Amino acid sequence: MLSFAVLSFDEMSTTYALIMAGGIGSRFWPMSTPRHPKQFLDILGTGRTLLQQTYDRMSRVTSPENIMVATHSQYKDLVMDQLPDLPEGNILLEPARRNTAPCIAYASIKIHKMKPGSSIVVTPADHLITEEDDFAKQVEVAIKHTMENNHLITLGVKPLRPETGYGYIQFKDGDENEPIKKVKTFTEKPDLDLAREFIESGEFLWNSGIFIWNTNAILNAFEKHQPDLYQNLIEGWDLYNTDGEQSFIDKSYPSSDNISVDYGILERSKSVYVLPVSFGWSDLGTWGSVYQEMKKDDHENAIQSKRILVNESLNNIISLDKGKTAIISGLDGYIVIAEGNRLLICPREEEQQIKSFVNDLKISLGEEDI
């Protein structure tokens, strides 16, 4: 059995970043497809894909050689094309999609073997953060805490509105001068009335899905709360960071439990803390969240092309691929997205059903990548 003791500040001088980039982004169909998913797209038209923006952001908090990207094996070439400075050995290839817990356990074991007790910043590849200087400063606060404490820290975003699409974190009252708070409860996607109560109480934050901890803390937590998953991946200890690592992962990873780190670890651990933050965050989880971030015309239409004429239309998000021209009249509150031979026209209020619609389409057409 490995021992994960608390190390001193000087011993824990290394910080790694883990970017999770293995999802298929089905809620962003038709722009996102299994072959070329959301994280590899420039959703907001900034000139950088979401993965590239996340890599740039992580380069502010650690050295580029300590940034790792975990992704499905089919996306290796996409990662290498978009991040040419990333060493190939820093790409963790998942042979199967098993949610965030196995991904984080795999990376944590690999990092712990290289540099025991290192701090890790774990982040999805497809989130938006507009105030990156503030992000770097607040992540540094959490990193310093993990250098001296075996705590699991999540960044909790101060809520701007009663949002039903986000998870919430309730924190305990404590020393006002202590920025990091003890977590009391987690709540997944409440209804509107409950979300309003959360906002009014002042005790709840949005769960950003960005985590900071040291390898001692997270591996102890896996050993305690997910022993089967932990044992499945720790068995290859001698093979990590060797030529035999990928073969071991290809064999063992698919049998790992399909479970999120939130449910598998954070909701079960008594050592979870939250740092309330504010840095212009959005998880960009739906077309509606993209609409929130886009510039609007005088009729609250968010339009990503100059070749679109709108008439008596308002509150829409409209995006066409290059070369397409369109006239849109009489729509209120719709998502209109055209990409290649794929077209989506859907009320914004039904955006949570897009994933289901896409699955139905796959069944109907018998095509995996539509």
Side-chain angles (χ1 to χ4, degrees):
M1 180 180 295
L2 300 178
S3 176
F4 304 111
V6 178
L7 303 184
S8 69
F9 184 92
D10 290 339
E11 289 175 304
M12 297 179 60
S13 59
T14 303
T15 297
Y16 286 84
L18 172 65
I19 301 173
M20 299 181 292
I24 60 174
S26 57
R27 289 184 176 87
F28 276 85
W29 192 89
M31 192 175 290
S32 174
T33 68
R35 188 172 299 168
H36 203 103
K38 165 189 171 188
Q39 61 269 26
F40 301 107
L41 302 174
D42 181 9
I43 293 282
L44 295 171
T46 64
R48 297 285 279 173
T49 68
L50 295 176
L51 173 63
Q52 290 171 326
Q53 291 182 57
T54 304
Y55 176 84
D56 296 343
R57 191 180 310 129
M58 290 300 100
S59 297
R60 290 169 169 259
V61 300
T62 190
S63 54
E65 63 267 22
N66 287 346
I67 298 175
M68 295 187 174
V69 176
T71 191
H72 192 276
S73 56
Q74 74 181 96
Y75 303 140
K76 178 181 178 181
D77 290 344
L78 281 173
V79 173
M80 293 181 67
D81 287 345
Q82 295 196 3
L83 301 178
D85 295 332
L86 183 73
E88 185 174 348
N90 286 25
I91 305 174
L92 280 60
L93 299 177
E94 302 167 288
R97 293 182 176 88
R98 286 296 179 269
N99 216 316
T100 55
C103 167
I104 290 169
Y106 169 24
S108 299
I109 295 170
K110 180 178 176 69
I111 291 169
H112 188 81
K113 188 176 180 185
M114 288 190 292
K115 180 73 174 181
S118 295
S119 295
I120 308 175
V121 182
V122 180
T123 180
D126 53 4
H127 288 188
L128 171 70
I129 291 175
T130 59
E131 299 167 24
E132 296 200 340
D133 288 340
D134 289 340
F135 169 80
K137 291 175 183 177
Q138 293 177 78
V139 166
E140 184 179 356
V141 171
I143 291 172
K144 287 181 177 179
H145 185 90
T146 65
M147 289 180 174
E148 298 177 329
N149 300 275
N150 269 6
H151 293 161
L152 308 177
I153 298 176
T154 180
L155 301 187
V157 178
K158 298 173 184 177
L160 304 176
R161 58 188 179 275
E163 174 65 57
T164 60
Y166 294 159
Y168 285 74
I169 302 169
Q170 184 183 24
F171 58 89
K172 294 182 179 179
D173 292 332
D175 185 351
E176 293 183 358
N177 296 320
E178 177 54 56
I180 296 176
K181 313 292 185 182
K182 189 81 164 59
V183 169
K184 187 175 181 180
T185 61
F186 289 90
T187 303
E188 280 297 317
K189 298 182 180 179
D191 61 30
L192 185 57
D193 289 340
L194 187 56
R196 286 173 176 153
E197 290 182 21
F198 287 172
I199 301 300
E200 291 170 1
S201 75
E203 299 178 356
F204 287 81
L205 305 163
W206 288 339
N207 187 352
S208 71
I210 301 172
F211 313 113
I212 300 98
W213 41 54
N214 66 58
T215 57
N216 300 314
I218 191 60
L219 290 176
N220 272 326
F222 271 106
E223 187 175 21
K224 180 178 181 179
H225 301 293
Q226 295 297 321
D228 291 343
L229 191 162
Y230 171 83
Q231 190 60 39
N232 188 42
L233 295 178
I234 204 71
E235 283 181 355
W237 175 261
D238 292 339
L239 298 173
Y240 283 90
N241 305 318
T242 74
D243 291 341
E245 176 183 321
Q246 191 62 55
S247 294
F248 168 75
I249 290 298
D250 288 345
K251 179 181 178 181
S252 299
Y253 197 90
S255 61
S256 297
D257 291 339
N258 188 339
I259 190 171
S260 72
V261 74
D262 299 77
Y263 180 73
I265 300 294
L266 300 182
E267 293 184 18
R268 306 178 188 210
S269 173
K270 296 181 180 179
S271 299
V272 183
Y273 289 75
V274 62
L275 175 62
V277 297
S278 179
F279 40 57
W281 172 87
S282 171
D283 75 344
L284 295 182
T286 63
W287 282 115
S289 59
V290 172
Y291 173 84
Q292 294 284 348
E293 303 299 329
M294 292 175 63
K295 292 182 179 180
K296 318 291 193 305
D297 65 14
D298 293 340
H299 301 287
E300 293 300 308
N301 294 303
I303 303 173
Q304 281 193 323
S305 172
K306 295 180 179 180
R307 300 178 64 87
I308 299 172
L309 173 67
V310 292
N311 175 62
E312 295 185 359
S313 297
L314 60 158
N315 305 312
N316 302 297
I317 176 171
I318 306 169
S319 176
L320 308 181
D321 52 347
K322 292 182 180 179
K324 289 274 193 337
T325 304
I327 299 171
I328 295 175
S329 180
L331 291 186
D332 183 355
Y334 269 73
I335 303 166
V336 181
I337 311 292
E339 183 73 21
N341 63 349
R342 302 178 299 275
L343 171 65
L344 170 70
I345 303 174
C346 174
R348 282 174 49 203
E349 63 187 17
E350 295 182 12
E351 65 175 5
Q352 294 293 340
Q353 298 185 55
I354 292 175
K355 182 176 181 179
S356 177
F357 294 154
V358 173
N359 287 335
D360 290 345
L361 192 59
K362 288 179 181 179
I363 294 171
S364 175
L365 299 179
E367 297 181 28
E368 184 61 29
D369 188 46
I370 58 173

mmCIF file of all heavy atoms in Angstrom, residues 6 53 178 251:
data_model
loop_
_atom_site.group_PDB
_atom_site.id
_atom_site.type_symbol
_atom_site.label_atom_id
_atom_site.label_comp_id
_atom_site.label_asym_id
_atom_site.label_seq_id
_atom_site.Cartn_x
_atom_site.Cartn_y
_atom_site.Cartn_z
ATOM 1 N N VAL A 6 1.340 14.192 4.345
ATOM 2 C CA VAL A 6 1.433 15.618 4.055
ATOM 3 C C VAL A 6 2.900 15.996 3.950
ATOM 4 O O VAL A 6 3.696 15.681 4.827
ATOM 5 C CB VAL A 6 0.748 16.446 5.163
ATOM 6 C CG1 VAL A 6 0.900 17.933 4.861
ATOM 7 C CG2 VAL A 6 -0.713 16.080 5.272
ATOM 8 N N GLN A 53 -7.554 28.010 -25.585
ATOM 9 C CA GLN A 53 -7.734 29.030 -24.559
ATOM 10 C C GLN A 53 -7.455 28.475 -23.164
ATOM 11 O O GLN A 53 -6.862 29.153 -22.316
ATOM 12 C CB GLN A 53 -9.163 29.582 -24.613
ATOM 13 C CG GLN A 53 -9.465 30.414 -25.842
ATOM 14 C CD GLN A 53 -10.868 30.969 -25.808
ATOM 15 O OE1 GLN A 53 -11.263 31.670 -24.884
ATOM 16 N NE2 GLN A 53 -11.660 30.647 -26.820
ATOM 17 N N GLU A 178 -10.633 34.196 6.383
ATOM 18 C CA GLU A 178 -10.139 32.985 5.740
ATOM 19 C C GLU A 178 -10.860 32.810 4.412
ATOM 20 O O GLU A 178 -12.069 32.578 4.376
ATOM 21 C CB GLU A 178 -10.372 31.768 6.632
ATOM 22 C CG GLU A 178 -9.959 30.445 6.001
ATOM 23 C CD GLU A 178 -8.531 30.437 5.507
ATOM 24 O OE1 GLU A 178 -7.632 30.710 6.323
ATOM 25 O OE2 GLU A 178 -8.330 30.171 4.302
ATOM 26 N N LYS A 251 -5.678 -1.732 -21.266
ATOM 27 C CA LYS A 251 -6.247 -2.960 -20.739
ATOM 28 C C LYS A 251 -7.139 -2.717 -19.521
ATOM 29 O O LYS A 251 -8.228 -3.294 -19.410
ATOM 30 C CB LYS A 251 -5.118 -3.931 -20.363
ATOM 31 C CG LYS A 251 -5.600 -5.248 -19.765
ATOM 32 C CD LYS A 251 -4.427 -6.150 -19.400
ATOM 33 C CE LYS A 251 -4.917 -7.441 -18.756
ATOM 34 N NZ LYS A 251 -3.776 -8.328 -18.373
#
